[in-house]
Amino acid sequence: MRIKDKYHLTYCTNIHAGGDWEETFTSLKQNLPEIKKAVSPNDSFGLGLRLSNTASVELDNGKLQGFKDWLDENDCYVFTMNGFPYGNFHGEPVKDNVHVPDWTTKERLEYTQRLFKQLDFLAPEGMECGISTSPVSYKHWFDAESKKEQAFVRGAQHMVQVALQLHKIEKESGRYMHLDVEPEPDGFLENTQEVLDFYKDYLIPEAIKAFESFKLSTDKVEELLKRYITVCYDVCHFALAYEAPNLTFERFKEVGIKTGKIQISAALKILYQQDKEEELWSTLAQFNEPVYLHQVTEKVNGTVKTYNDLPIVLEKKAPFDELRSHFHVPIFLEDYGLLQSTQDQIVKVLEYLEGHFVSNHIEVETYTWDVLPDKLKVPITESIARELSWMKSRLK
């Protein structure tokens, strides 16, 4: 939905089941009209669409026009997509497979290029669009630095191929689209500095080589690269890096890196209480579920330490001052009994947006409703509507 004629606010449909196109479309038909009625009854409702590779291939098989017609009939439109999860994202263990295939593979490249063609077809004419994607690969798959270096190079080469595609589309039709790379814990990109280094050491050098035939200056190539390859700023992920939003946005601005999309999400925050230590651990254990990775971070002597999944921390039960867990909890709640959320990071982002433009694409991305502790579960459409209403009131 449009807010102040400035923002497109939506939620990400990775919350719904979507292994193939039939399941995806069924989920949308069951949920989207009800959500729109609750939060945007009189205005068009923008959608953050998630398509698995299978659903995307099937949609291309004669179903694209029918889907666009359905969106028009329901006064909805697509302006952003989540191209991070390639395969199934519900009902079975996902864990680090969320990165499969990574950006070193042709499969990831071809999937992303297909999504952009579909987004270009589905979105309203002339509207800016974007697709968020994985942060190149997953750190724990690489033991040797040389292998990691090769993965960075190959990943950058493939992302630059997408930049070439988007440049061609914009020249031919005027449609501006961007690939929004999403840092997250244990991804190749986790924090602000790693994003800056990726542009400087890999993306820009590969773009200079790929755009060579255009006979452009180095500065112009860098400008184009940063136009088409942007950042997806997930509030939960940067909270896990213990980085203040204003500092990240300002550092990106200094070097001309754009934020294509802001994903609004909150992590679990655990503050140590000596008299309730055992109760804290037992409460945290309720969030230990087998589907998604729930990395835990801790800041020790100014350095962020990452544990690659919640069970590691629960088993050790080591002393701590503050822990943060990669569990996307509802954004409208500040605490969960003994536990808190990083909702304060969302508030800081909104405060920054009051005086600075960062992105006009804002997407709520709480996808863990199915695996939340039972006492936090409410009907899915009610949950999404409540989150969007919470955001809508604060953006206004």
Side-chain angles (χ1 to χ4, degrees):
M1 70 194 103
R2 295 299 297 270
I3 307 293
K4 297 165 59 176
D5 290 326
K6 183 176 182 180
Y7 301 112
H8 294 274
L9 171 64
T10 187
Y11 78 101
C12 181
T13 65
N14 64 355
I15 190 173
H16 305 307
D20 57 21
W21 173 243
E22 181 180 359
E23 187 176 43
T24 300
F25 197 24
T26 298
S27 295
L28 292 174
K29 289 186 287 188
Q30 288 174 344
N31 294 284
L32 188 55
E34 189 174 342
I35 293 167
K36 182 188 182 301
K37 182 179 179 181
V39 299
S40 186
N42 302 316
D43 299 305
S44 297
F45 183 74
L47 190 62
L49 181 65
R50 186 259 161 169
L51 296 175
S52 70
N53 181 65
T54 299
S56 174
V57 170
E58 293 172 347
L59 184 59
D60 250 8
N61 190 22
K63 296 179 172 65
L64 201 55
Q65 183 62 57
F67 179 45
K68 184 175 176 60
D69 292 343
W70 181 84
L71 289 169
D72 291 342
E73 290 165 8
N74 286 274
D75 197 18
C76 295
Y77 62 94
V78 179
F79 68 93
T80 186
M81 296 176 74
N82 186 338
F84 195 145
Y86 178 98
N88 190 30
F89 198 59
H90 289 276
E92 62 184 54
V94 177
K95 298 294 184 179
D96 59 336
N97 282 328
V98 72
H99 293 274
V100 176
D102 66 12
W103 271 100
T104 67
T105 67
K106 288 186 177 180
E107 288 84 358
R108 172 65 65 175
L109 172 61
E110 291 169 354
Y111 165 62
T112 306
Q113 290 177 321
R114 187 189 323 116
L115 289 182
F116 270 115
K117 291 176 183 177
Q118 293 171 334
L119 180 57
D120 188 27
F121 181 86
L122 292 170
E125 184 176 353
M127 183 174 289
E128 175 188 336
C129 303
I131 297 176
S132 50
T133 191
S134 86
V136 187
S137 191
Y138 183 64
K139 285 180 177 177
H140 292 288
W141 294 342
F142 299 85
D143 293 329
E145 281 300 315
S146 60
K147 295 293 185 183
K148 187 177 176 182
E149 171 76 13
Q150 292 171 14
F152 262 126
V153 171
R154 191 63 175 154
Q157 289 171 343
H158 282 154
M159 288 185 182
V160 169
Q161 288 302 305
V162 175
L164 286 168
Q165 174 195 13
L166 301 182
H167 180 54
K168 183 173 185 290
I169 290 172
E170 187 171 22
K171 285 187 69 175
E172 291 177 350
S173 70
R175 164 89 73 189
Y176 171 46
M177 297 191 288
H178 37 78
L179 179 67
D180 312 327
V181 183
E182 181 181 343
E184 76 160 32
D186 285 333
F188 267 28
L189 311 176
E190 295 191 65
N191 54 49
T192 303
Q193 187 59 53
E194 290 180 353
V195 171
L196 296 174
D197 291 344
F198 181 52
Y199 274 83
K200 177 174 65 73
D201 297 337
Y202 300 101
L203 281 177
I204 293 171
E206 292 302 330
I208 290 170
K209 288 186 281 187
F211 279 82
E212 187 176 7
S213 63
F214 290 77
K215 306 298 183 185
L216 301 172
S217 68
T218 299
D219 287 347
K220 183 61 178 177
V221 171
E222 182 174 339
E223 178 187 327
L224 287 173
L225 182 278
K226 290 176 179 176
R227 178 170 178 78
Y228 300 116
I229 309 296
T230 66
V231 175
C232 172
Y233 182 94
D234 187 304
V235 183
C236 166
H237 298 171
F238 279 88
L240 286 158
Y242 292 80
E243 294 187 340
N246 63 311
L247 297 180
T248 296
F249 294 141
E250 290 298 324
R251 290 190 72 190
F252 287 168
K253 184 178 179 180
E254 286 172 6
V255 297
I257 292 175
K258 302 178 187 299
T259 300
K261 174 162 66 178
I262 299 174
Q263 283 185 329
I264 302 295
S265 56
L268 270 180
K269 181 193 295 184
I270 308 97
L271 300 175
Y272 182 71
Q273 301 176 53
Q274 186 174 4
D275 59 332
K276 297 181 178 179
E277 184 173 344
E278 284 304 313
E279 193 177 351
L280 271 176
W281 288 120
S282 62
T283 303
L284 182 58
Q286 296 175 26
F287 290 84
N288 184 24
E289 57 78 32
V291 177
Y292 304 109
L293 272 178
H294 299 297
Q295 298 94 336
V296 178
T297 62
E298 179 182 17
K299 198 167 188 179
V300 182
N301 297 324
T303 300
V304 177
K305 182 176 182 179
T306 302
Y307 305 90
N308 66 318
D309 208 353
L310 181 56
I312 297 170
V313 175
L314 291 172
E315 182 179 347
K316 289 185 176 181
K317 294 184 178 179
F320 68 93
D321 291 323
E322 178 182 344
L323 301 175
R324 296 181 182 183
S325 179
H326 184 202
F327 197 117
H328 286 216
V329 291
I331 65 173
F332 49 75
L333 296 175
E334 290 184 72
D335 61 73
Y336 303 87
L338 283 178
L339 309 183
Q340 290 79 44
S341 81
T342 58
Q343 187 196 79
D344 58 318
Q345 289 285 108
I346 299 174
V347 173
K348 289 175 183 177
V349 169
L350 296 176
E351 288 173 350
Y352 187 82
L353 292 182
E354 288 179 6
H356 307 83
F357 176 79
V358 176
S359 173
N360 56 10
H361 290 180
I362 299 181
E363 179 183 64
V364 176
E365 203 217 7
T366 307
Y367 59 79
T368 52
W369 298 104
D370 289 347
V371 296
L372 282 170
D374 288 341
K375 64 181 179 180
L376 295 178
K377 291 181 180 178
V378 295
I380 194 67
T381 53
E382 180 183 328
S383 300
I384 298 169
R386 186 175 175 185
E387 292 208 303
L388 288 172
S389 296
W390 186 90
M391 273 301 298
K392 186 177 179 181
S393 66
R394 280 150 182 81
L395 282 171
K396 281 189 173 181

